[in-house]
Amino acid sequence: MQGRRLATTDEIIAIVSPDSDEALASLTEWTEERGLGLATVAVGDDIGDVYDESRATLGVTLGGDGTFLEGVKTFSPRDIPQLGVNTGTLAFLARVEPEDLEDALDETLRGRASVDSRQQVHVEAPGVDATGINDVMVQQVPPENPIDRKVTRLDVYADDEYVGEFEGTGLAVSTPTGSTGISLSANGPVHYPVNNHTLQIVPLHTHKLGVRPIVVSPETELRIVTQEQASLLVDGGRAHTILTEGDEITATGADKLAHIVRTSYDDHFFTAITKKLGWDVRDVDVPAAKRREPLSAASKKSITADEETDTVERALTVATEAAKAAGEPLRELHGQVESIDVKTDKSDIVTEADHQADRIITTVIRNEFPNHAVFSEEGARQRGTDSDYTWVIDPLDGTGNFAHGNPNYSISVALVEDGEPVMGVVYVPETDELFSGIAGNGAWRDGDPIETTDRDQLDESMLISGYDPDGTFLSHFYQASRGVRRLGSAALNLCYLASGSADAVWEHDTYPWDIAAGLVIAREAGATLTDQTGDPYEFDFDTDDRTPLLGSNGSLHPALLEHLEDGLPARSQ
């Protein structure tokens, strides 16, 4: 999940532990001042009565790690991102202190927080079907007589491959988030938890020299078979049972990840465990570049001033993050389209997709560039001030493809300075491809430079047709070239021209939101862009007149224009 998506939060659901009254009062005041909805539930209570899946929701836990784990149990099945506020004592997971609550929330709702995807573990055993964020512990059952034998034996398999016999106190199957202390006590590894999707098997106080910790992928199916009685606990006892000889436990990575919000007010993972475990390795002067601390107001002002010295490069970063954040709900809704038979219901999904993507992008831009104008296909045509900069947005280019389950749709975000596009980002949610360009600096696909082809023979070239109402371009060029393709997204057409996947592009008519970003990317990759007569293509916000576009790799352009002369109608005035 992209942190920029959090900027569109409508409502907060808080899971509140006892003794969190002060933090709750602060949270209540903060939400009231911003007109956000706030619902509170006690630890262990269901949120079904207060959760509305149609509203963008942020989960907040007020308490220690126990409350945080209850939040994961409640929020992760619903894909709700979660921010943990530590009102307890010893907390490794909830790492925002109450005094930083409001600042952390401000950062989150400005879209400046990050979201970690944490691996969970799913376990099934006799009497247990549970999901945990920390660990599954299989241990010996304490004997009634404390001097009796305190050992259990377990056979372990990974995808039906026999790992071996674990004899000792037991073992832990843990995620990178959990069991740090247990792993350390058993000479196991410490796993950095951020976006680390693995599971680890740690033998606990083994009586066998050859047994070592093992790291596996979340897709691995782990089977643990008891040779005698054993105790099974998930996340410290949130699910618990006593197993008998021959019982089988199955553990694997859970389908649902936990989405954990991290702000600059959180301690880093290693800082947190250092302080909480008393390692004292940070009892030295650590350079500011190596630690993550909340920025002072003066520092924030200084950074903002530095960023403003290069608006276009900063805009590229913001546009990239906004487009990727908007791509998430588009992918989610796109996956629902083909399962719907009723045309009106499909139309509702497309409308919702447009709305959600547009809202995310425009909210992020307004947060970062409040003085810039915004020109969006889905919103009002012109919004903002008298700034020299205008953002041009098409949150869903290729709605026809989207409505039919076709993956050829894109998100287009451009920055226009004094009427000329100077920065463009085109993101393809289904393939996770990102095309970008800055006027005068180049064009890239996923960070790698791109350029057009150098073919100059029409009969060797692949062409792309955009809007071609009566098929004139298709019929006139199909036999003369290697083929004419129609993808259904003008922004993608220009990006494929820029990256060499096609040699030329034709659009009978264009709209500014469709092509603003693609123009920058194509030009920076070396494309020639004209109208059908060969005059340079001029970007214009005016959509009253037909505006055709012919784009090519440059060397092919003369042949295209010559072939167009007797094949296409004259441009209307």
Side-chain angles (χ1 to χ4, degrees):
M1 177 177 288
Q2 294 287 328
R4 290 290 187 181
R5 190 174 175 179
L6 300 176
T8 60
T9 298
D10 297 312
E11 183 175 43
I12 291 175
I13 297 178
I15 296 177
V16 184
S17 70
D19 303 322
S20 296
D21 293 346
E22 189 174 338
L24 178 57
S26 177
L27 176 61
T28 302
E29 181 180 358
W30 185 89
T31 53
E32 288 176 349
E33 288 176 354
R34 286 154 183 79
L36 289 174
L38 173 64
T40 61
V41 297
V43 176
D45 288 352
D46 185 54
I47 66 171
D49 292 337
V50 296
Y51 174 58
D52 181 353
E53 64 179 10
S54 68
R55 292 170 63 81
T57 302
L58 172 68
V60 173
T61 59
L62 305 178
D65 280 355
T67 307
F68 187 93
L69 291 173
E70 283 297 315
V72 171
K73 179 181 176 181
T74 301
F75 295 132
S76 63
R78 298 173 170 91
D79 287 323
I80 298 174
Q82 171 180 335
L83 177 71
V85 180
N86 176 32
T87 62
T89 51
L90 186 66
F92 292 90
L93 301 174
R95 300 208 297 263
V96 173
E97 297 303 318
E99 60 268 24
D100 295 324
L101 169 60
E102 294 187 9
D103 288 333
L105 286 170
D106 281 334
E107 184 176 300
T108 300
L109 264 71
R110 285 181 65 84
R112 292 179 173 176
S114 61
V115 181
D116 296 342
S117 295
R118 298 291 182 91
Q119 181 64 54
Q120 297 198 89
V121 58
H122 181 75
V123 59
E124 294 182 13
V128 171
D129 185 347
T131 297
I133 185 66
N134 270 350
D135 54 59
V136 177
M137 305 284 291
V138 186
Q139 297 176 285
Q140 50 83 21
V141 177
E144 292 184 7
N145 187 339
I147 65 171
D148 286 349
R149 185 172 181 268
K150 303 181 180 68
V151 174
T152 190
R153 289 178 299 166
L154 306 165
D155 289 313
V156 180
Y157 301 81
D159 288 338
D160 294 325
E161 183 175 342
Y162 185 55
V163 176
E165 181 185 71
F166 284 49
E167 181 179 1
T169 304
L171 62 81
V173 177
S174 61
T175 71
T177 297
S179 289
T180 300
I182 291 170
S183 181
L184 285 172
S185 71
N187 294 316
V190 176
H191 273 220
Y192 184 57
V194 178
N195 298 323
N196 180 353
H197 301 156
T198 61
L199 297 177
Q200 57 179 311
I201 309 169
V202 179
L204 304 178
H205 310 130
T206 179
H207 290 201
K208 294 198 171 196
L209 183 64
V211 178
R212 292 289 182 268
I214 301 168
V215 178
V216 300
S217 77
E219 290 80 20
T220 302
E221 182 182 80
L222 299 172
R223 289 193 302 115
I224 304 163
V225 181
T226 60
Q227 294 188 24
E228 52 199 81
Q229 192 180 54
S231 172
L232 170 66
L233 298 94
V234 180
D235 278 356
R238 284 171 174 77
H240 176 233
T241 192
I242 299 296
L243 303 169
T244 59
E245 180 183 349
D247 282 343
E248 182 172 300
I249 306 158
T250 302
T252 190
D255 292 334
K256 288 285 188 180
L257 301 175
H259 302 299
I260 309 304
V261 178
R262 292 299 181 208
T263 73
S264 62
Y265 298 90
D266 295 40
D267 278 336
H268 269 184
F269 170 72
F270 291 107
T271 301
I273 62 174
T274 294
K275 292 195 302 188
K276 302 295 172 58
L277 297 179
W279 285 351
D280 297 326
V281 297
R282 297 293 176 93
D283 265 3
V284 294
D285 290 333
V286 180
K290 295 184 179 180
R291 62 175 184 261
R292 187 181 186 186
E293 297 178 350
L295 297 173
S296 66
S299 296
K300 289 178 180 177
K301 188 178 295 184
S302 173
I303 287 176
T304 301
D306 289 342
E307 288 174 338
E308 287 176 351
T309 61
D310 197 342
T311 300
V312 178
E313 286 198 6
R314 182 175 165 226
L316 177 63
T317 300
V318 172
T320 297
E321 293 172 355
K324 287 191 172 183
E328 291 176 349
L330 292 189
R331 277 193 300 269
E332 294 163 8
L333 292 167
H334 184 254
Q336 302 174 25
V337 168
E338 281 302 278
S339 63
I340 293 176
D341 296 326
V342 181
K343 184 177 180 179
T344 54
D345 290 342
K346 283 193 177 186
S347 177
D348 288 343
I349 285 188
V350 175
T351 301
E352 178 65 15
D354 263 333
H355 170 73
Q356 285 200 34
D358 184 68
R359 185 180 173 211
I360 290 169
I361 297 168
T362 55
T363 300
V364 168
I365 290 170
R366 284 171 171 172
N367 283 340
E368 299 296 336
F369 301 96
N371 296 322
H372 290 191
V374 178
F375 189 92
S376 171
E377 181 189 16
E378 300 307 316
R381 285 292 172 263
Q382 189 81 30
R383 298 183 294 218
T385 65
D386 294 329
S387 170
D388 293 335
Y389 293 101
T390 299
W391 291 79
V392 183
I393 301 163
D394 189 346
L396 178 51
D397 184 37
T399 53
N401 288 341
F402 185 92
H404 288 83
N406 187 301
N408 289 308
Y409 65 90
S410 63
I411 297 167
S412 177
V413 183
L415 181 67
V416 175
E417 182 180 8
D418 295 328
E420 190 64 31
V422 293
M423 183 282 301
V425 165
V426 175
Y427 180 58
V428 193
E430 296 300 321
T431 60
D432 197 33
E433 286 179 290
L434 182 87
F435 297 90
S436 58
I438 292 180
N441 281 5
W444 308 271
R445 177 175 57 196
D446 297 330
D448 297 323
I450 55 176
E451 60 182 15
T452 60
T453 65
D454 59 0
R455 296 186 186 92
D456 58 6
Q457 299 298 311
L458 190 56
D459 60 0
E460 297 176 354
S461 301
M462 177 69 71
L463 314 183
I464 295 179
S465 171
Y467 180 55
D468 183 21
D470 57 5
T472 303
F473 183 85
L474 174 64
S475 61
H476 195 61
F477 276 87
Y478 192 81
Q479 296 297 331
S481 66
R482 282 281 178 90
V484 179
R485 304 290 183 261
R486 184 170 181 185
L487 303 178
S489 168
L492 269 183
N493 293 347
L494 287 166
C495 289
Y496 288 154
L497 168 64
S499 59
S501 296
D503 302 293
V505 168
W506 164 255
E507 295 281 351
H508 173 84
D509 197 6
T510 58
Y511 293 94
W513 50 83
D514 290 333
I515 47 86
L519 288 178
V520 180
I521 296 166
R523 283 171 176 162
E524 289 303 307
T528 296
L529 304 172
T530 71
D531 63 14
Q532 66 190 45
T533 67
D535 292 333
Y537 181 87
E538 295 183 4
F539 178 80
D540 194 346
F541 285 109
D542 183 8
T543 60
D544 292 336
D545 295 331
R546 182 170 81 87
T547 310
L549 172 103
L550 178 66
S552 79
N553 59 12
S555 55
L556 188 63
H557 221 76
L560 289 168
L561 289 171
E562 181 179 351
H563 205 69
L564 276 172
E565 286 183 2
D566 60 352
L568 292 175
R571 178 178 176 177
S572 58
Q573 299 298 319

